């Protein structure tokens, strides 16, 4: 049945289990190995069995047919699979796709999963094997070139400073220091970020995400089943996706992303607005991402993101907690980060995030970014009080 | 079955720019200039696209400079600047300014296209316009 803005999906499904494995370094293991460990942990967390899983959603950069390889490794024969690959945003988009499949009865237990061993495997970010034909002759370094170009334009157009970009990295580190599973825990100041090795102007190595191993898994069921399971459900309240371009040179506006549309769609489905969000999990592949997404999702005006993040506003103790696990900048970033936004959202909604728990969390906005600012996916989750 | 144009757009681009000028596709129906080369107009979906030589004039929209680490015992690697140029005719493209030191490139700089490279692998690069030097 068609409902306005897809609002029939609001509260229809929930995350009931989350798991991680191989965060940081997992030498001697491959992507499928640590993914399977994360899947088992997520199912144990939910009190479900692998044999209960009948819907699988996954993407990666290591396998040409990620979902097929995944079901083979896990030894399951799901009746619904979705391998739509939009880059690191895929997993946030899957939250909506899984809710849709669950509501339609195409599956009863949906598994969203990811794993990669880029750090102990290739030792570098493995780029997609097909890149934009008319960009390649100029020797860009993907994906970094695209984000650096956006940052440079944002600085030129709005007066955003390198110090403001550095605030994002420092805030992430302060959150990471409260997360025993984070990869980078050492002290980090704005001066440290500015003085670290320049990689792609205006971005230093500390403006760029980590390169780690890691796997994450999320289990979703319909809301009625979710209420009977072990843990407090994280209800899916709204979702949206949007994409305008693959290549950064085809991006209509270097300082505005398709998150404007994905966010508006998610808020419309949820019947909510930015000020209704307790905390945010924004895909921070680079420091500029957080500034772009705060603007595009409506938490501040266009061009105001640099000032918005200043003075510790998104850090522990700030007005708007962002990336409470330490994010891709300091927690972990195994090539695609999206699934970890869902995992942290769930832990915060349960009140189970330990020292980094951001008070009483009623709503979380997760935002995934794919490829080179090419695809944006937003999903909003809440406690039962928000239903 | 849909009929094919005379040549694939990538091949047609290489053939046209071999005279040293920048050529773009223009849509016969909506009049927009199109880049990257395609078989249909991304503005109005028309299949009527014609190649035309263009001014090659443009403005640097944004840039980044890649700093590369040198390996021990090897010569120092040069920083590498990459730009996006807004052509006066409308489209934006990624490119380089091979004759300009990275630190001398500015957003807003006026530039002019030049075709570089071997037969079949030609690419569009830019030089500063004289008034901007």
């Amino acid at each position: 049945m068609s409902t306005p803005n897809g609002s029939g999906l609001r509260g229809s499904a929930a995350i009931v289990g989350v798991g991680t494995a191989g965060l940081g370094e997992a030498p001697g293991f491959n992507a499928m190995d640590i993914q399977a460990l994360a899947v088992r942990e997520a199912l144990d967390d939910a009190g479900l069995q692998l044999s209960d899983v009948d819907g699988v959603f996954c993407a990666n950069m290591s396998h040409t047919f990620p979902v097929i390889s995944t079901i083979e490794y896990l030894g399951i024969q799901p009746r619904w699979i979705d391998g739509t690959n939009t880059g690191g945003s895929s997993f946030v988009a899957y939250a909506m796709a899984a809710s849709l499949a669950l509501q339609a009865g195409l599956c009863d237990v949906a598994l969203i999963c990811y794993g990669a061993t880029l750090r102990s495997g290739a030792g570098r970010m493995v780029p997609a094997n097909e890149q934009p034909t008319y960009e390649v002759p100029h020797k860009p370094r993907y994906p970094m070139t695209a984000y650096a170009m956006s940052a440079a334009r944002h600085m030129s157009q709005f007066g955003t400073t390198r110090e403001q970009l550095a605030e994002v990295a420092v805030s992430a580190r302060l959150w990471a220091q409260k997360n025993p599973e984070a990869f980078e825990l050492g002290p980090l100041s704005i001066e440290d970020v500015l003085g670290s090795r320049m990689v792609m102007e205006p971005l230093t190595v500390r403006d760029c995400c980590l390169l780690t191993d890691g796997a994450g898994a999320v289990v979703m069921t319909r809301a009625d089943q979710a209420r009977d399971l072990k843990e407090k459900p994280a209800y899916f309240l709204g979702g949206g996706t949007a994409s305008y371009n693959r290549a950064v040179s085809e991006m209509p506006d270097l300082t505005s992303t398709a998150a404007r549309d994905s966010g508006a769609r998610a808020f419309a489905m949820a019947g909510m607005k930015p000020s209704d969000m307790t905390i945010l999990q924004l895909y921070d592949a680079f420091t500029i991402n957080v500034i772009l997404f705060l603007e595009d999702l409506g938490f501040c005006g266009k061009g105001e993101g640099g000032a918005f993040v200043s003075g510790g506003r998104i850090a522990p103790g700030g007005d708007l907690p962002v990336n409470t696990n330490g994010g891709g900048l300091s927690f972990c970033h195994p090539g695609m980060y999206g699934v970890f936004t869902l995992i942290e959202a769930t832990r915060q909604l349960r009140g189970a995030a330990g020292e980094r728990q951001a008070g009483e969390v009623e709503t979380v906005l997760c935002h995934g970014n794919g490829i080179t600012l090419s695809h944006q996916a937003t999903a909003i989750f809440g406690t039962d009080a928000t239903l | 079955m849909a009929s094919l144009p005379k040549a694939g757009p990538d091949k047609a681009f290489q053939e046209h720019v071999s005279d040293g000028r920048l050529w773009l596709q223009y849509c016969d129906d909506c009049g927009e200039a199109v880049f990257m080369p395609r078989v249909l107009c991304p503005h109005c979906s028309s299949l009527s696209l014609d190649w035309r030589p263009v001014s090659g004039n443009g403005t640097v929209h944004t840039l980044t400079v890649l700093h590369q680490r040198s390996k021990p015992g090897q010569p120092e690697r040069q920083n590498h600047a990459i730009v996006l140029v807004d052509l006066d005719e409308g489209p934006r493209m990624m490119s380089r300014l091979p004759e300009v030191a990275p630190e001398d490139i500015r957003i807003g700089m006026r530039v002019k296209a030049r075709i570089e490279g071997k037969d079949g692998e030609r690419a569009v690069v830019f030089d500063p316009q004289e008034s901007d030097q």
Side-chain angles (χ1 to χ4, degrees), chain A residues 6-14 99 103 221-224 226-227 234-238 269-270 380 382-383 386-387:
Chain A
S7 58
L9 284 178
R10 188 192 195 282
S12 66
S99 297
Q103 187 183 54
T221 67
R222 282 183 293 278
D224 51 356
R227 278 187 273 276
Y235 292 95
F236 173 82
L237 301 178
M269 188 186 292
I380 297 168
T383 61
T386 63
L387 293 176

Side-chain angles (χ1 to χ4, degrees), chain A residues 12 111 171 178:
Chain A
S12 66
L111 171 67
S171 299
K178 296 171 174 291

Side-chain angles (χ1 to χ4, degrees), chain A:
Chain A
M1 191 181 68
S2 166
T3 51
N5 304 315
S7 58
L9 284 178
R10 188 192 195 282
S12 66
I15 296 175
V16 296
V18 295
T20 60
L23 302 178
E25 291 180 331
F29 294 85
N30 67 35
M32 288 291 154
D33 297 330
I34 59 172
Q35 179 179 264
L37 292 171
V39 167
R40 269 300 309 268
E41 186 176 76
L43 287 163
D44 290 347
D45 185 46
L48 292 167
Q49 307 290 321
L50 201 44
S51 55
D52 295 322
V53 174
D54 59 357
V56 176
F57 301 73
C58 78
N60 65 34
M61 297 285 281
S62 54
H63 292 69
T64 308
F65 308 110
V67 200
I68 306 301
S69 298
T70 295
I71 63 168
E72 175 188 75
Y73 191 109
L74 298 176
I76 56 175
Q77 299 173 358
R79 55 196 177 107
W80 186 255
I81 61 175
D82 181 347
T84 306
N85 189 349
T86 58
S89 59
S90 302
F91 311 87
V92 180
Y94 293 153
M96 180 162 64
S99 297
L100 188 60
L102 287 163
Q103 187 183 54
L106 296 170
C107 62
D108 296 323
V109 176
L111 171 67
I112 300 169
C113 56
Y114 176 73
T117 50
L118 291 179
R119 188 175 186 90
S120 49
R124 62 186 173 85
M125 182 71 191
V126 180
N129 57 19
E130 162 268 322
Q131 298 288 2
T133 307
Y134 291 85
E135 293 188 349
V136 167
H138 305 295
K139 298 189 167 56
R141 183 75 58 86
Y142 295 116
M144 204 179 354
T145 295
Y147 296 88
M149 286 182 153
S150 173
R153 185 69 204 174
H154 205 278
M155 291 168 72
S156 166
Q157 200 165 328
F158 303 115
T160 305
T161 64
R162 284 188 54 208
E163 287 77 5
Q164 291 170 337
L165 294 172
E167 281 264 6
V168 175
V170 170
S171 299
R173 182 61 57 86
L174 291 170
W175 282 114
Q177 287 166 350
K178 296 171 174 291
N179 179 359
E181 294 185 335
F183 190 74
E184 289 283 0
L185 294 164
L188 186 73
S189 67
I190 289 176
E191 292 69 35
D192 292 337
V193 178
L194 298 179
S196 64
R197 182 169 60 87
M198 183 58 74
V199 180
M200 181 83 77
E201 290 179 32
L203 305 178
T204 70
V205 68
R206 292 295 167 210
D207 287 293
C208 303
C209 63
L210 306 170
L211 181 73
T212 65
D213 300 337
V218 164
V219 179
M220 294 183 74
T221 67
R222 282 183 293 278
D224 51 356
Q225 188 186 355
R227 278 187 273 276
D228 299 330
L229 292 172
K230 272 168 62 180
E231 296 285 347
K232 201 170 133 186
Y235 292 95
F236 173 82
L237 301 178
T241 62
S243 178
Y244 308 148
N245 53 279
R246 162 78 159 89
V248 66
S249 54
E250 296 273 324
M251 195 170 170
D253 178 347
L254 267 283
T255 61
S256 290
T257 74
R260 286 175 301 172
D261 289 335
S262 69
R265 288 165 189 158
F267 284 123
M269 188 186 292
M272 292 177 145
K273 52 189 185 304
S275 59
D276 295 323
M277 299 298 109
T278 319
I279 64 170
L280 315 179
Q281 308 297 331
L282 308 177
Y283 193 145
D284 56 342
F286 300 89
T287 50
I288 186 66
N289 294 36
V290 171
I291 289 174
L292 291 171
F293 300 148
L294 285 166
E295 294 170 352
D296 293 336
L297 295 167
F299 291 89
C300 61
K302 181 48 66 184
E304 297 169 5
F308 186 89
V309 300
S310 295
R313 183 179 276 161
I314 64 172
D319 293 342
L320 183 63
V322 174
N323 296 345
T324 47
N325 55 2
L329 290 166
S330 280
F331 164 53
C332 83
H333 192 287
M336 291 175 164
Y337 173 77
V339 73
F340 298 101
T341 68
L342 305 178
I343 293 166
E344 179 66 5
T346 304
R347 290 181 171 154
Q348 289 281 344
L349 286 166
R350 289 178 182 174
E355 200 199 327
R356 68 182 188 278
Q357 179 66 40
E360 202 164 312
V361 175
E362 198 161 87
T363 52
V364 187
L365 180 144
C366 297
H367 185 77
N369 163 73
I371 320 175
T372 49
L373 292 168
S374 310
H375 182 269
Q376 306 298 329
T378 312
I380 297 168
F381 296 88
T383 61
D384 55 3
T386 63
L387 293 176

Side-chain angles (χ1 to χ4, degrees), chain B residues 70-92:
Chain B
S70 305
K71 293 196 176 104
Q74 297 204 348
E76 198 169 319
R77 297 173 76 181
Q78 297 295 307
N79 290 346
H80 171 61
I82 311 152
V83 298
L84 294 184
V85 171
D86 285 344
L87 297 171
D88 288 1
E89 287 79 9
R92 179 177 293 160

